């Protein structure tokens, strides 16, 4: 957990986790408006007056993340009495994650739960009687994140992190050794050794960072998108998988205008099924956006379920579709729906595009078998359940910063810069890692040095 | 016989002398009490000052108006700037001293100070009245009154010297130990502990064969510690390096059954970074040799300090082992090495001003606080002297920040973390190491020293001149531009990328491979211009240019931390009522009683969440 510096600009999702139609991301602090402006493509927010609303895009370099509405509040007329913004975006966890990430890169830091309230309190918005409530909130969060940490220890996460910690301590200690003990008769690490040591740490950390999307997926449900032509029965399948009426089902093509999603657990693994508007060229603009979004969902999904109506689809259609989906380089299942409405003998020769899984979403025929197939596909493909994964956003944030600092160290070694400057960058890395593992102190470094090297006259 | 003093300083070592000098110079009527006036300013261990991190401390003491830098300069016989190749934050001045002259210079310097009296006696009791110090009682039965007392007892409190299986009471080789104070302080509620340190044998230089050793000479252009006009060395003495070998180790091992360390007779914890030779052999059994520094004790003596051979093994084992060292075959020993155990008081019982929390106007400085080293002791003495004077004059304490001085780091560490083994300064202990350089100690601290009435006007003026000249030099280097054809051939020569357009010297200097003296050599105009500047000014300007980005970053980090440092915690704040704090944080905070949130943050066991919670309770 980072220290509560009051001049930091903090950011967090203000609406409940999970999926709503829209989400609000709140940012507060001296630089809140500047930082938000940095990721916003629209009017110059810094030039706008307080309590105004602005439409525009949030982009990650060229890619549009979302179209958003941004509210601006200027100190002291905001909830926290600081400069603040609220970004209203679409409620997809992918979009929220991306926007938060961009805000962090632009200079904000993730708020701790209760921190907005704490700021509001410290800036005199509440009376002292509420102090206790705020304090309890912070304490509860700290305990909760501790529990998260303990839970993660069951996986390989803590082991990886602690070996990373050891590696970095060793690296930093070797640098400190040549600084503080240059007069000693000990063998100093040469630059090549240091580089090798650093590469190892970078590998570990890259692995951990990459596991974040997987980890996030496991925590929030593995995104599984259901696509197919209009009226293939996608919403019906969603309802069958969720065992409830979530999506509106009708015979009219294009009933589902936007993506609908919900979670269900299959044998302990959480899935987030996303129903999409049917894939077709459409002249209805609102629906067109829905189709566009379905394509985006496919990009973001871990698994694609392509559903087709056996009554209206030919094996050649499927062969074509298969080729197209294959190009996305993701695991997918081809599912033939409405098998209860046709005799097996009447089915055209689909063997050439096998495997196809036959179900009837309407009568839930073979849906539970499909669930098993879905589970196995995912486990086989991506999510080896013993794999080390990072699931906590704060850990992810810290790891990214550790990696950035380590890259600087690497540059420094190559340049080469003097060891006191190298030490500065490695300290930055250690400090960030400390937010996950607990602080790494000078005594840790000195302890390592004294245990490994014969120091002293 | 005595009127009431403002400040009594007990002990006349590095800490006591700085304390007495500071208090008296600031205007306090001061009495320095020592058990033996012949050994004022004695170097108990090696005859050297400074070194990595320690050299920076001496520069800081000097910048504030303390005396250790001046005394070191006057008595040095060799000077080296360590870590030259490691970046400017690491440059560390170190000198060898003439041991006898060092003590003599201290005595002379102290005798020159108005307001400072001396008394030879042993202090056995601290007079305490109603939780406040009232003076001291001595072994001769005298009661001397004072408004404040600074205790700098070094290794003398219940000191026990060990050599092999022999042990006897003593504060230093050949000197008596001091008794009574520890017991009294424990009765008053203080917590006390034992620590251990050691020293190597001294030998006759005439009995050594230097032709078998490597010479370690001083710097070609020797520097110095003080920012004042102390003289530079003209002539230097060399040190010599030799090594132990397997035979030496085997000989030493024969004494292990009589080692007070290995046999458990010594209970106190010694420093891991200053191990005895038997410790080195025992812990690093795979090493077949250890470095030995042969250090002369002065200009006019044949005595030699065998640095690296600290030991408490029996004297005859020491002698037999020494004889097996290359160049030591015919060695004559003057005094054996020994280990010494002494009392200290865990420094978490102090405020940042070094005043004890339990007894008002009682201050501790030096080894009594669990530190080791002359420099560490001297700077605590200086701060205790300043703060004792300020306290009795109802002025605010001088607390140096961690981003301001190594002295600040040292005291802050001691007070918040305490120490299990003798605490020595390392540069790695300072989080803002790049800011705490030896070259800018005057710019960091002399203004502070002047404002409290310790550093002279002249010192302040010198710093201001230096700062202005450095500024001007940096600005001029931004303006002065050089054309490609004037410099490219030279850049090629040092494998630096050539330039296509006019470039300022300032920008060229940002390159790691380019230095100001080198630019100076290649460009006549610049060379002529630079002649107007002192070496220190040029050095300083170059550092500020080259490391600007890093320095800015450090400063920014320090400023961020300062936010917490500025959030004061009310005295007597009751942590037990804050249920949201973790149990460990509640206990530690109640014990240490930090003065700011920044300080609270450095107490082990206090988490960022606890700081957040405190922030809420303290309001803003």
């Amino acid at each position: 957990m980072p220290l509560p510096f009051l001049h930091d600009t903090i950011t967090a999702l203000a609406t409940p986790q999970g999926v709503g139609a829209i989400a609000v991301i709140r940012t507060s602090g001296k630089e809140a408006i500047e930082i938000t402006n940095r990721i916003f493509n629209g009017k110059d927010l810094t030039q706008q007056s307080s309590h105004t609303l602005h439409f525009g895009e949030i982009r990650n370099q060229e890619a549009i993340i979302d179209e958003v509405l941004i509210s601006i509040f200027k100190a002291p007329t905001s909830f926290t009495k600081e400069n603040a913004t609220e970004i209203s975006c679409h409620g997809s966890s992918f979009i929220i994650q991306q926007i938060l990430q961009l805000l962090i890169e632009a200079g904000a830091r993730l708020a701790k739960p209760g921190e907005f309230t704490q700021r509001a309190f410290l800036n005199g918005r509440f009376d002292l009687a509420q102090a206790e409530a705020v304090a309890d909130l912070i304490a509860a969060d700290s305990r909760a994140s501790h529990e998260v940490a303990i839970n993660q220890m069951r996986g390989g996460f803590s082991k990886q992190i602690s070996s990373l910690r050891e590696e970095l301590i060793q690296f930093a200690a070797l640098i400190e050794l040549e600084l503080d003990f240059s007069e000693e008769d000990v063998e100093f690490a040469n630059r090549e050794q240091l580089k090798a040591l650093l590469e190892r740490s970078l590998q570990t950390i890259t692995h951990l960072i990459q596991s974040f999307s997987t980890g996030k997926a496991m925590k929030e449900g593995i995104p599984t998108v259901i696509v197919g032509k209009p009226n293939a029965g996608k919403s019906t399948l969603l309802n069958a998988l969720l065992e409830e009426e979530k999506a509106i089902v009708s015979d009219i093509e294009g009933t589902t205008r936007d993506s609908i999603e919900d979670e269900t657990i299959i044998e302990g693994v959480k899935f987030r099924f996303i129903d999409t508007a049917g894939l077709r060229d459409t002249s209805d603009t609102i629906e067109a956006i829905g189709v566009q979004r379905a394509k985006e969902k496919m990009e973001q999904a871990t698994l694609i379920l392509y559903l087709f109506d056996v009554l209206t689809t030919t094996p050649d259609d499927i062969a074509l579709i298969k080729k197209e989906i294959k190009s996305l380089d993701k695991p997918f299942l081809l599912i033939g729906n409405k098998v209860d409405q046709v005799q097996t003998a009447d089915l055209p020769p689909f063997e050439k595009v096998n495997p196809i899984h036959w179900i009837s979403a309407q009568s839930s025929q073979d849906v539970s078998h499909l669930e098993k197939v879905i589970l196995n596909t995912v486990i086989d493909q991506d999510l080896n359940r013993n794999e080390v994964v990072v699931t906590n956003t704060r850990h992810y944030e810290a790891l990214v910063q550790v990696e950035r600092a380590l890259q600087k160290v690497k540059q420094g070694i190559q340049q080469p810069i003097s060891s006191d400057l190298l030490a500065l960058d490695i300290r930055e890395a250690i400090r960030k890692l400390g937010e996950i593992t607990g602080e790494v102190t000078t005594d840790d470094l000195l302890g390592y040095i004294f245990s490994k090297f014969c120091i002293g006259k | 016989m005595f009127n009431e003093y403002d400040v009594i300083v007990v002990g006349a070592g590095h800490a006591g002398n700085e304390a007495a000098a500071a208090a008296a110079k600031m205007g306090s009527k001061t009495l320095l009490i020592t058990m033996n006036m012949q050994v004022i300013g004695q170097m108990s261990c090696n005859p050297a000052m400074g070194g990595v991190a320690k050299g920076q401390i001496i520069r800081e003491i000097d910048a504030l108006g303390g005396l250790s830098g001046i005394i070191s300069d006057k008595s040095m016989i060799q000077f080296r700037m360590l870590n030259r190749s490691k970046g400017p934050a690491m440059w560390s001045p170190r000198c060898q001293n003439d041991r006898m002259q060092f003590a003599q210079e201290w005595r002379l310097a102290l005798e020159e100070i108005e307001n400072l009296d001396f008394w030879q006696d042993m202090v056995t009791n601290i007079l305490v009245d109603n939780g406040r110090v009232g003076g001291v009682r001595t072994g001769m039965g005298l009661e001397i009154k004072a408004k404040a007392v600074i205790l700098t007892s070094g290794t003398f409190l219940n000191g026990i010297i060990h050599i092999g299986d022999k042990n006897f009471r003593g504060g230093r080789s050949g000197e008596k130990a001091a008794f009574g104070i520890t017991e009294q302080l424990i009765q008053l509620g203080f917590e006390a502990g034992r620590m251990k340190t050691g020293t190597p044998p001294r030998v006759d230089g005439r009995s050594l064969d230097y032709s078998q050793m490597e010479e370690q000479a001083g710097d070609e252009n020797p520097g110095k510690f003080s920012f004042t006009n102390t003289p530079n060395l003209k002539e230097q003495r060399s040190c010599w390096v030799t090594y132990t070998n397997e035979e030496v180790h085997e000989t030493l091992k024969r004494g292990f059954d009589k080692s007070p360390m290995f046999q458990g007779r010594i209970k106190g914890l010694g420093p891991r970074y200053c191990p005895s030779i038997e410790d080195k052999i025992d812990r690093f059994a795979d090493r077949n040799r250890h470095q030995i520094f042969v250090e002369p004790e002065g200009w006019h003596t044949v005595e030699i300090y065998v640095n690296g051979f600290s030991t408490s093994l029996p004297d005859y084992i020491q002698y037999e082992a020494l004889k097996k060292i290359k160049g030591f075959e015919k060695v004559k020993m003057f005094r054996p090495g020994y280990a010494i155990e002494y009392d200290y008081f865990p420094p978490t019982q102090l405020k940042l001003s070094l005043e004890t929390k339990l007894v008002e106007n009682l201050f501790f400085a030096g080894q009594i606080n669990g530190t080791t080293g002359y420099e560490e002791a001297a700077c605590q003495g200086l701060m205790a002297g300043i703060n004792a004077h300020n306290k009795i004059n109802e002025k605010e304490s001088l607390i140096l920040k961690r981003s301001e001085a190594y002295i600040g780091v040292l005291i802050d560490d001691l007070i918040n973390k305490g120490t299990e083994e003798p605490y020595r300064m390392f540069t790695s202990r300072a989080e803002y190491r790049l800011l705490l350089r030896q070259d800018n100690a005057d710019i960091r601290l002399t203004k502070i020293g002047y404002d409290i009435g310790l550093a002279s006007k002249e010192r302040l003026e010198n710093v201001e001149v230096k700062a202005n000249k450095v500024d001007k030099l940096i600005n001029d280097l931004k303006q002065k531009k050089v054309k490609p054809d004037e410099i490219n051939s030279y850049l090629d020569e040092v494998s630096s990328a050539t330039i296509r357009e006019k470039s300022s010297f300032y920008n060229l200097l940002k390159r790691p491979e380019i230095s100001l003296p080198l630019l100076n050599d290649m460009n006549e105009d610049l060379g002529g211009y630079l002649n107007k500047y002192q070496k220190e000014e040029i050095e300083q300007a170059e550092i500020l240019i080259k490391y600007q980005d890093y320095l800015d970053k450090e400063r920014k980090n320090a400023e961020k931390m300062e936010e917490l440092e500025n959030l004061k915690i009310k005295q007597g704040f009751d942590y037990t009522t804050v249920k949201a704090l973790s149990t460990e944080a509640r206990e530690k905070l109640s014990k240490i009683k930090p003065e700011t949130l920044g300080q609270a943050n450095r107490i082990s066991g206090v988490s960022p969440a606890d700081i957040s919670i405190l922030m809420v309770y303290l309001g803003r």
Side-chain angles (χ1 to χ4, degrees):
Chain A
M1 185 179 285
L3 276 168
F5 291 113
L6 292 170
H7 293 304
D8 287 357
T9 295
I10 53 175
T11 186
L13 178 65
T15 44
Q17 272 286 354
V19 182
I22 54 170
V24 176
I25 293 167
R26 183 189 274 163
T27 306
S28 175
K30 229 196 261 167
E31 291 187 271
I33 299 170
E34 281 92 334
I35 288 174
T36 309
N37 195 44
R38 271 173 220 157
I39 69 164
F40 181 67
N41 196 13
K43 276 179 264 179
D44 182 354
L45 297 177
T46 60
Q47 300 305 315
Q48 309 304 320
S49 37
S50 189
H51 294 74
T52 52
L53 197 58
H54 308 276
F55 175 77
E57 288 164 351
I58 288 190
R59 289 176 180 232
N60 185 359
Q61 284 154 356
E62 287 311 297
I64 298 174
I65 303 295
D66 200 6
E67 291 181 335
V68 298
L69 281 172
I70 295 183
S71 326
I72 292 193
F73 306 92
K74 290 195 171 166
T77 55
S78 73
F79 169 65
T80 53
K81 292 197 157 198
E82 302 173 329
N83 286 337
T85 63
E86 288 179 3
I87 302 176
S88 305
C89 61
H90 288 93
S92 124
S93 55
F94 175 78
I95 289 174
I96 295 165
Q97 189 56 46
Q98 288 279 303
I99 295 177
L100 283 174
Q101 211 47 59
L102 287 172
L103 285 168
I104 289 164
E105 277 163 26
R109 96 171 139 73
L110 270 192
K112 299 168 291 172
E115 201 170 9
F116 285 102
T117 318
Q118 184 193 24
R119 292 258 173 121
F121 170 77
L122 290 172
N123 291 324
R125 186 167 272 288
F126 304 122
D127 61 41
L128 209 84
Q130 283 161 301
E132 199 144 336
V134 178
D136 284 345
L137 188 63
I138 297 167
D141 170 56
S142 142
R143 269 193 292 278
S145 59
H146 187 60
E147 270 161 32
V148 169
I150 287 175
N151 280 335
Q152 283 176 332
M153 285 186 192
R154 293 190 198 116
F157 177 73
S158 81
K159 222 165 126 192
Q160 290 268 339
I161 284 287
S162 66
S163 71
L164 182 65
R165 184 177 187 270
E166 287 311 307
E167 280 167 21
L168 291 191
I169 286 179
Q170 191 190 345
F171 185 90
L174 288 174
I175 301 280
E176 295 298 344
L177 179 74
E178 54 176 275
L179 294 177
D180 265 331
F181 305 101
S182 56
E183 294 289 296
E184 301 289 339
D185 182 27
V186 294
E187 220 176 288
F188 298 103
N190 65 38
R191 289 291 183 259
E192 287 310 309
Q193 284 170 296
L194 289 177
K195 233 191 269 178
L197 204 60
L198 195 65
E199 285 299 343
R200 222 167 57 213
S201 305
L202 272 167
Q203 246 170 33
T204 313
I205 204 159
T206 310
H207 180 65
L208 283 168
I209 287 173
Q210 280 169 353
S211 78
F212 180 66
S213 55
T214 310
K216 185 93 176 155
M218 284 186 85
K219 207 171 138 201
E220 293 182 353
I222 292 158
T224 306
V225 66
I226 307 171
V227 291
K229 290 226 166 90
N231 234 350
K234 299 182 291 298
S235 301
T236 314
L237 175 60
L238 177 72
N239 288 341
L241 288 165
L242 300 175
E243 290 168 10
E244 63 174 311
E245 288 282 314
K246 181 85 182 182
I248 304 164
V249 188
S250 82
D251 287 338
I252 306 162
E253 284 188 7
T255 304
T256 305
R257 295 282 181 109
D258 199 350
S259 304
I260 296 173
E261 45 186 276
D262 208 345
E263 295 157 358
T264 191
I265 291 172
I266 303 174
E267 288 182 27
V269 175
K270 201 197 259 183
F271 284 84
R272 191 154 45 82
F273 287 108
I274 303 145
D275 180 17
T276 61
L279 296 169
R280 64 166 183 180
D281 294 325
T282 174
S283 51
D284 178 336
T285 38
I286 297 179
E287 201 192 317
I289 292 171
V291 172
Q292 172 63 28
R293 206 151 281 162
K295 285 183 179 156
E296 283 168 20
K297 291 283 173 190
M298 282 165 72
E299 303 263 341
Q300 295 156 21
T302 299
L303 175 64
I304 298 166
L305 305 182
Y306 185 83
L307 193 70
F308 63 92
D309 184 341
V310 291
L311 302 170
T312 59
T313 315
T314 67
D316 289 340
D317 291 344
I318 294 300
L320 214 67
I321 291 287
K322 192 173 171 181
K323 217 170 128 191
E324 208 166 299
I325 300 182
K326 236 184 174 162
S327 69
L328 289 172
D329 199 22
K330 289 201 177 178
F332 63 92
L333 300 174
L334 298 172
I335 304 161
N337 191 20
K338 312 191 186 175
V339 284
D340 55 344
Q341 294 179 33
V342 63
Q343 294 296 317
T344 320
D346 296 342
L347 278 175
F350 276 106
E351 300 81 28
K352 58 175 181 180
V353 284
N354 257 347
I356 289 181
H357 308 277
W358 304 103
I359 62 158
S360 165
Q362 186 104 57
S363 61
S364 284
Q365 183 187 322
D366 289 326
V367 169
S368 64
H369 175 71
L370 178 65
E371 286 180 355
K372 286 213 177 72
V373 175
I374 289 171
L375 181 71
N376 289 335
T377 310
V378 161
I379 289 176
D380 284 353
Q381 283 293 333
D382 201 25
L383 299 181
N384 185 339
R385 269 190 283 179
N386 295 322
E387 176 119 14
V388 173
V389 288
V390 177
T391 56
N392 185 310
T393 312
R394 271 190 231 161
H395 291 171
Y396 173 73
E397 186 194 354
L399 285 172
V400 168
Q401 283 172 314
V402 174
E403 193 200 20
R404 227 175 274 166
L406 288 183
Q407 290 293 359
K408 267 204 92 177
V409 177
K410 194 173 152 186
Q411 274 173 25
I413 293 180
Q414 274 155 358
Q415 257 183 353
I417 59 173
S418 59
S419 324
D420 53 348
L421 302 182
L422 269 188
L424 200 73
D425 293 327
I426 188 77
R427 275 181 189 203
E428 173 79 9
I430 287 182
R431 205 163 48 80
K432 282 292 161 195
L433 190 66
E435 287 179 8
I436 305 177
T437 63
E439 202 193 348
V440 177
T441 63
T442 306
D443 286 333
D444 292 325
L445 304 187
L446 290 172
Y448 180 86
I449 291 175
F450 298 141
S451 70
K452 298 280 185 216
F453 299 94
C454 184
I455 296 290
K457 291 176 186 173
Chain B
M1 197 156 82
F2 295 100
N3 292 322
E4 185 184 12
Y5 281 94
D6 292 325
V7 177
I8 287 177
V9 178
V10 183
H14 304 269
N17 290 353
E18 286 287 3
K25 279 179 153 187
M26 288 170 78
S28 279
K29 196 143 179 40
T30 305
L31 177 69
L32 179 59
I33 304 181
T34 167
M35 287 161 70
N36 184 352
M37 282 196 63
Q38 300 315 118
V39 286
I40 284 179
Q42 177 74 273
M43 302 178 115
S44 322
C45 207
N46 62 329
M49 292 292 278
V52 181
K54 292 160 164 277
Q56 282 89 325
I57 291 180
I58 298 292
R59 295 281 270 173
E60 289 176 358
I61 291 172
D62 187 72
L64 283 166
L67 292 173
S68 289
I70 294 171
I71 306 289
S72 300
D73 285 354
K74 286 183 173 171
S75 60
M76 71 168 74
I77 62 174
Q78 186 204 75
F79 180 93
R80 286 196 303 143
M81 185 66 86
L82 308 181
N83 270 348
R84 269 268 182 209
S85 64
K86 311 279 181 195
M90 301 311 303
W91 297 1
S92 306
R94 181 188 188 276
C95 72
Q96 293 291 142
N97 298 81
D98 181 312
R99 187 190 299 276
M100 285 183 280
Q101 194 188 347
F102 184 90
Q104 190 188 5
E105 294 290 351
W106 255 122
R107 170 102 183 230
L108 292 173
L110 292 173
E111 285 176 2
E112 265 177 32
I113 298 173
E114 268 181 84
N115 281 337
L116 180 57
D117 294 345
F118 301 85
W119 181 248
Q120 176 172 305
D121 205 341
M122 177 167 79
V123 170
T124 54
N125 273 85
I126 309 293
L127 302 177
V128 179
D129 185 24
N130 237 337
R132 190 187 185 124
V133 94
V136 299
R137 185 180 296 120
T138 72
M140 287 193 246
L142 298 169
E143 280 196 3
I144 312 174
K145 289 208 167 79
K147 296 192 185 108
V149 171
I150 303 172
L151 212 51
T152 70
S153 52
T155 56
F156 280 69
L157 288 182
N158 291 318
I160 294 181
I161 290 174
H162 297 263
I163 303 174
D165 50 7
K166 290 178 264 193
N167 62 68
F168 45 89
R169 294 169 166 195
R172 197 156 45 202
S173 170
E175 293 177 56
K176 284 190 298 185
F179 305 100
I181 294 179
T182 305
E183 294 70 17
Q184 186 210 355
L185 289 177
I186 288 173
Q187 272 199 337
L188 285 170
F190 282 92
E191 197 189 314
R194 291 291 264 176
M195 276 190 176
K196 170 249 157 186
T197 188
T199 183
R202 322 286 167 87
V203 302
D204 186 337
R206 293 169 298 185
S207 65
L208 303 182
D209 178 2
Y210 295 103
S211 68
Q212 298 196 58
M213 308 179 197
E214 300 157 21
E215 183 170 6
Q216 191 179 50
D219 282 357
E220 221 168 287
N221 297 305
K224 59 195 186 75
F225 286 99
S226 181
F227 291 98
T228 63
N229 57 358
T230 48
N232 270 89
L233 274 179
K234 300 259 179 311
E235 189 193 332
Q236 302 190 65
R237 294 282 304 265
S238 286
C239 294
W240 302 85
V241 179
T242 180
Y243 295 91
T244 62
N245 52 48
E246 304 273 15
E247 239 187 311
V248 177
H249 299 177
E250 286 315 309
T251 312
L252 288 168
K253 279 182 196 160
R254 293 209 317 263
F256 279 14
D257 61 332
K258 293 207 164 60
S259 157
M261 288 291 296
F262 297 149
Q263 302 308 319
R265 281 191 298 281
I266 293 179
K267 300 277 187 301
L269 208 55
R272 281 174 298 174
Y273 35 80
C274 203
S276 60
I277 186 72
E278 52 267 34
D279 239 5
K280 293 184 205 174
I281 293 169
D282 188 50
R283 286 183 47 220
F284 296 92
D286 53 326
R287 296 201 45 167
N288 52 19
R289 67 173 205 180
H290 294 278
Q291 220 171 6
I292 300 289
F293 293 87
V294 176
E295 303 181 349
E297 292 251 333
W299 295 115
H300 310 295
T301 174
V302 297
E303 192 164 349
I304 290 290
Y305 186 87
V306 190
N307 206 352
F309 205 79
S310 167
T311 177
S312 56
L313 292 173
D315 35 41
Y316 58 89
I317 295 280
Q318 295 185 25
Y319 175 63
E320 290 300 327
L322 280 175
K323 276 203 300 189
K324 308 233 158 61
I325 296 174
K326 220 170 165 193
F328 276 61
E329 292 78 5
K330 294 180 179 153
V331 70
K332 286 181 180 166
M333 196 157 73
F334 280 172
R335 334 177 192 195
Y338 61 87
I340 181 161
E341 270 189 298
Y342 56 95
D343 293 338
Y344 82 105
F345 295 86
T348 47
Q349 303 173 90
L350 302 175
K351 299 179 188 174
L352 284 166
S353 61
L354 297 178
E355 185 186 17
T356 66
K357 288 173 191 163
L358 269 174
V359 177
E360 202 182 342
N361 290 355
L362 176 63
F363 293 76
F364 290 172
Q367 277 167 304
I368 189 172
N369 291 335
T371 62
T372 172
Y374 306 153
E375 303 79 1
E376 287 85 347
C379 74
Q380 289 175 65
L382 177 69
M383 297 309 287
I386 291 169
N387 284 327
H389 172 86
N390 279 358
K391 180 76 199 295
I392 58 179
N393 287 287
E394 290 173 10
K395 286 186 194 157
E396 223 180 291
S397 301
L398 175 62
I399 312 289
L400 296 175
K401 293 185 219 132
R402 296 181 74 91
S403 55
E404 219 162 38
Y406 274 99
I407 301 174
V409 175
L410 182 137
I411 294 175
D412 189 76
D413 273 355
L414 289 177
I415 271 71
N416 295 319
K417 302 196 179 112
T419 183
E420 301 282 313
E421 68 186 319
Y423 179 102
R424 185 187 131 181
M425 185 48 74
F426 298 108
T427 67
S428 49
R429 296 196 196 267
E431 52 275 65
Y432 312 116
R433 171 160 63 189
L434 236 45
L435 303 179
L436 308 183
R437 306 185 309 275
Q438 61 86 28
D439 62 273
N440 70 352
D442 53 346
I443 288 174
R444 287 186 274 131
L445 298 172
T446 295
K447 175 80 169 60
I448 295 173
Y450 176 76
D451 287 344
I452 56 166
L454 188 59
S456 67
K457 186 98 202 260
E458 194 191 343
R459 273 184 185 268
L460 182 66
E461 284 165 358
N462 287 342
V463 175
E464 284 168 352
V465 169
K466 176 177 165 187
N468 288 337
K469 283 181 83 177
V470 169
D471 272 355
K472 183 168 180 327
L473 178 53
I474 292 176
N475 273 322
D476 286 354
L477 289 170
K478 278 186 193 164
Q479 306 304 327
K480 282 186 183 295
K481 302 218 160 100
V482 63
K483 290 189 210 126
D485 60 330
E486 293 175 305
I487 190 126
N488 275 347
S489 63
Y490 162 74
L491 289 176
D492 251 349
E493 216 173 279
V494 294
S495 338
S496 190
T498 53
I499 53 171
R500 285 203 209 124
E501 286 161 31
K502 261 180 138 184
S503 168
S504 67
F505 286 109
Y506 180 89
N507 282 337
L508 285 172
L509 268 175
K510 294 231 169 220
R511 303 181 175 187
E513 65 277 10
I514 306 288
S515 78
L516 206 39
L518 285 174
L519 277 182
N520 184 16
D521 288 347
M522 67 69 47
N523 189 291
E524 260 176 49
D525 287 350
L526 184 66
Y529 168 78
L530 283 179
N531 280 342
K532 288 187 290 185
Y533 290 92
Q534 308 274 342
K535 189 170 147 244
E536 290 76 28
E537 292 156 359
I538 294 174
E539 232 167 54
Q540 174 92 195
E542 184 167 357
I543 291 168
L544 292 180
I545 294 170
K546 249 191 179 41
Y547 299 95
Q548 188 195 13
D549 295 347
Y550 283 94
L551 294 171
D552 286 350
K553 198 169 156 196
E554 286 265 83
R555 224 168 277 127
K556 224 170 127 189
N557 279 340
E559 275 163 19
K560 214 166 155 181
M561 243 9 239
E562 204 129 295
E563 202 181 275
L564 295 182
E565 305 295 337
N566 290 337
L567 291 175
K568 292 245 180 328
I569 302 174
K570 283 187 288 275
Q571 270 210 325
F573 182 85
D574 186 2
Y575 295 97
T576 57
T577 60
V578 186
K579 293 281 175 280
L581 290 172
S582 72
T583 315
E584 190 186 1
R586 263 203 305 271
E587 279 169 13
K588 290 267 179 69
L589 289 164
S590 301
K591 188 179 170 201
I592 310 272
K593 301 186 183 74
E595 290 170 29
T596 64
L597 271 189
Q599 194 192 338
N601 174 46
R602 287 189 293 277
I603 299 170
S604 62
V606 177
S607 72
D610 294 319
I611 298 296
S612 285
I613 290 162
L614 278 179
M615 208 180 243
V616 168
Y617 273 84
L618 297 171
R620 225 176 148 177

